[in-house]
Amino acid sequence: MIPAAMLNLCEQAARGQRPAIMKFPARSLGLLLAVSLIQPLVLVQRAPAAERAPQPRLLFFEYGQGPNRLVELDARGQLVREHRPPSIAVIFEVLTNGHVLYAYGGKPTGVREITPDGVEVWNYVSSCPQVLGCSRLPNGNTLVAEQGPCRAVEISPKGAVVRATPLTTSHQGYHLQVRNVHKLANGNILAAHEGEGAVREVDVDGRVVWEYTGVENAGDAQRLPNGNTLISCGTQKRVLEVTPDKKIAWQFTAADAPELNLTWVSSIQVRPNGNLVVGNFLRGQEGRGAHAFEVTRDKKVVWKWDDHRLIKSLTTVRALD
């Protein structure tokens, strides 16, 4: 067996460092010489650490066993600021002016817009039992996903109801009737119905013109420029892209990256480079796996974030480009 001191000496020499002066028994000098002659590559060729792209700044809603709060992290993963909503809040949107729009589901319930410092600049109070989804439209109005009855309501900046579009779902309990809603370029509404596990596109009168069913806990659905629909499939532990004729064009599942412990796909964000930032709601799996990660279309994980000391679980997460 090669003495540890001799191995240290060899490593120092291989790195170009001047070795510390040591005394070895005469019988060990021959062994040291032999090691230096026959094993130089073992000492100097070490596998480089796997390189990952740097993690971006992140904004997310913590929800579950931890406090319900909006949290911002810098690129080092350090806490920058937090904001406590007035009641349950799981979905938000970062606006072009840097403000944050989020729905809150208490008594009262509605949608708030806040500055990065948490100052409220706009608030809409709904008359329905609960609102958990919303989005800001290009015309400045706000689309609100109301539950009980299930509908998408367009609100002007002054708080007036511009249009109310009924949404179709078989789920009776209002809490899980609808999550994220988006107004499409054709004027239709695309809605994710979590309780039913369905995604539906309806026209302005609420008639269903397209649907995809058979998913679990669908939290969001986004129409892509190519006409396909990207779906967060909750407890099915996958992100799904389907064509207009309902064929699976692409998917990312728990089996594609077991180290993430994909538990509940709670949010999806398409980055400018085409990669996806995925929120992994670790409900019942707190302390294990990644809270969020970025994945390429060839299913390579670019980075992951998993600080279990800072939070227990999250719902919506956004990379701040």
Side-chain angles (χ1 to χ4, degrees):
M1 181 178 294
I2 302 171
M6 294 173 66
L7 284 175
N8 291 337
L9 184 60
C10 292
E11 288 184 330
Q12 292 175 25
R15 291 193 297 265
Q17 299 174 354
R18 184 175 181 178
I21 297 175
M22 297 182 181
K23 292 184 178 181
F24 294 95
R27 58 187 175 82
S28 299
L29 291 178
L31 181 57
L32 177 59
L33 179 60
V35 169
S36 65
L37 290 175
I38 67 174
Q39 285 192 311
L41 294 180
V42 174
L43 295 172
V44 300
Q45 287 194 346
R46 295 182 180 272
E51 294 185 0
R52 288 185 181 270
Q55 175 189 304
R57 294 186 300 127
L58 296 178
L59 189 66
F60 58 83
F61 257 129
E62 181 177 10
Y63 176 76
Q65 290 189 2
N68 192 190
R69 57 178 179 159
L70 187 67
V71 177
E72 181 180 346
L73 304 180
D74 64 19
R76 300 172 301 163
Q78 300 299 309
L79 179 67
V80 174
R81 60 175 58 89
E82 68 174 64
H83 168 78
R84 299 294 179 105
S87 56
I88 174 178
V90 294
I91 294 172
F92 70 89
E93 178 180 306
V94 182
L95 305 179
T96 56
N97 60 2
H99 293 183
V100 175
L101 185 77
Y102 70 85
Y104 59 94
K107 293 182 179 181
T109 185
V111 177
R112 300 177 79 190
E113 178 184 343
I114 61 171
T115 68
D117 293 328
V119 178
E120 181 183 295
V121 296
W122 187 80
N123 184 43
Y124 169 73
V125 176
S126 173
S127 59
C128 77
Q130 191 176 58
V131 174
L132 290 177
C134 62
S135 65
R136 179 60 51 82
L137 304 179
N139 63 4
N141 293 346
T142 301
L143 196 62
V144 179
E146 293 191 338
Q147 306 188 118
C150 186
R151 62 180 191 164
V153 182
E154 187 173 336
I155 307 297
S156 73
K158 294 184 178 181
V161 176
V162 175
R163 177 182 288 111
T165 301
L167 300 175
T168 299
T169 180
S170 62
H171 196 81
Q172 298 299 314
Y174 66 81
H175 176 63
L176 294 175
Q177 286 184 338
V178 62
R179 285 296 177 263
N180 244 347
V181 289
H182 301 281
K183 190 171 185 177
L184 305 178
N186 61 7
N188 292 349
I189 304 296
L190 186 66
H193 300 283
E194 182 173 337
E196 186 182 354
V199 171
R200 291 192 175 92
E201 178 185 345
V202 302
D203 64 16
V204 293
D205 297 318
R207 289 187 291 265
V208 177
V209 299
W210 184 86
E211 68 177 0
Y212 190 87
T213 59
V215 296
E216 294 177 0
N217 303 106
D220 194 12
Q222 301 175 22
R223 184 61 47 80
L224 300 175
N226 63 4
N228 293 349
T229 303
L230 197 64
I231 304 170
S232 62
C233 298
T235 48
Q236 279 185 341
K237 306 178 183 181
R238 63 176 179 164
V239 179
L240 193 62
E241 181 184 340
V242 297
T243 64
D245 58 354
K246 305 178 186 180
K247 300 286 195 308
I248 295 178
W250 181 87
Q251 64 177 325
F252 181 83
T253 72
D256 291 316
E259 71 277 8
L260 298 174
N261 188 30
L262 204 56
T263 301
W264 184 319
V265 178
S266 53
S267 72
I268 42 177
Q269 175 192 11
V270 182
R271 300 200 74 185
N273 61 5
N275 293 352
L276 303 180
V277 173
V278 180
N280 183 25
F281 181 37
L282 294 171
R283 188 167 196 170
Q285 293 288 311
E286 292 84 359
R288 297 178 53 236
H291 294 298
F293 60 93
E294 180 177 342
V295 63
T296 66
R297 284 310 189 114
D298 57 359
K299 302 186 180 182
K300 289 185 171 61
V301 176
V302 178
W303 55 260
K304 64 178 180 176
W305 181 72
D306 55 1
D307 190 342
H308 299 286
R309 295 172 300 175
L310 181 62
I311 73 163
K312 298 293 185 181
S313 58
L314 59 75
T315 51
T316 302
V317 60
R318 294 289 182 259
L320 300 177
D321 293 303

